[in-house]
Amino acid sequence: MRLLLVEDDQRIAEPLIEGLSEMGFSVDWVTTGAEALRFPEPEVVLLDLGLPDVDGTGVCRELRSRASLVSIIVITARSGEDDRVTGLDSGADDYVVKPFGLRELEARIRAVSRRVQVAGGLVDGGVQVLGRLIIDRRSHRVSVDGGEVALTPKEFALLALLAEDQGAIVNRQVVFDEVWDSHWYGPTKTLEVHVASLRRRLGHPEWIETVRGVGLRLGQTD
């Protein structure tokens, strides 16, 4: 997933870029509103409001008027209710107050991207077509090469999570938070067991890739 970070403070930007890159995101960085408006079609914009050239709310309005499907997350130190309302009214999909945790930001990025659902061939009715793999989120059905594949609820949730951004690495902890819950304290081997079962049921073990020390991703399914 391609992110655009609009942040003029280098002390905030650099560790944020490093952390998001380790999570599998592609991050571009600009420091002014003018640069943000010249940037070609990012999928998600992480937008600071206190920019050196213009106020970020104006940038947000302009981005939203140009591209209705771009996801915009405001990241700012402005924590007042009026600030939140202004930010959301200007077109932001989410509003995060500094300081924030990296895992929280990652979850919010995936949440706003899930609402848009444009990557990976999503069509009307919640059906996602990924080459030989078809995922119907509404009916919780999966088919491979035209034949339906029976998955458990956890296997379906795991596959659907990886399919949100095909090819992007999903951190192991994010998998636990999204597929199980944030209070999961069971054995980590549970994930390996479900991944092995999912690979077996799909009939193409190579589709679910393990990136050692990082997480999982859904590879090419053509």
Side-chain angles (χ1 to χ4, degrees), residues 66-196:
R66 295 182 183 184
S68 61
L69 292 179
V70 67
S71 297
I72 303 172
I73 301 176
V74 167
I75 52 172
T76 180
R78 302 178 189 176
S79 59
E81 182 179 0
D82 289 344
D83 294 314
R84 291 175 182 270
V85 170
T86 300
L88 295 171
D89 281 349
S90 63
D93 297 284
D94 203 348
Y95 193 103
V96 183
V97 176
K98 301 173 183 175
F100 50 81
L102 194 59
R103 276 182 51 204
E104 177 191 359
L105 181 60
E106 180 186 19
R108 289 176 181 269
I109 290 169
R110 296 197 182 281
V112 297
S113 299
R114 193 179 301 125
R115 293 173 206 156
V116 177
Q117 298 284 13
V118 290
L122 195 67
V123 297
D124 290 342
V127 178
Q128 189 175 13
V129 180
L130 298 166
R132 300 160 69 185
L133 172 67
I134 299 176
I135 303 171
D136 187 337
R137 284 175 165 78
R138 186 178 59 183
S139 65
H140 278 223
R141 291 182 175 177
V142 171
S143 62
V144 175
D145 296 326
E148 187 167 342
V149 178
L151 300 181
T152 67
K154 285 285 188 281
E155 289 166 352
F156 180 88
L158 174 58
L159 179 61
L161 175 63
L162 298 178
E164 286 176 8
D165 189 7
Q166 186 178 22
I169 301 171
V170 181
N171 181 273
R172 287 173 58 91
Q173 188 57 53
V174 172
V175 174
F176 279 117
D177 290 350
E178 294 280 336
V179 177
W180 280 265
D181 63 64
S182 58
H183 303 293
W184 170 259
Y185 295 110
T188 57
K189 188 177 180 182
T190 296
L191 177 56
E192 279 69 31
V193 171
H194 280 79
V195 169

Side-chain angles (χ1 to χ4, degrees), residues 55-66:
D55 190 84
T57 55
V59 177
C60 188
R61 289 191 185 93
E62 181 65 22
L63 286 173
R64 177 59 65 220
S65 69
R66 295 182 183 184

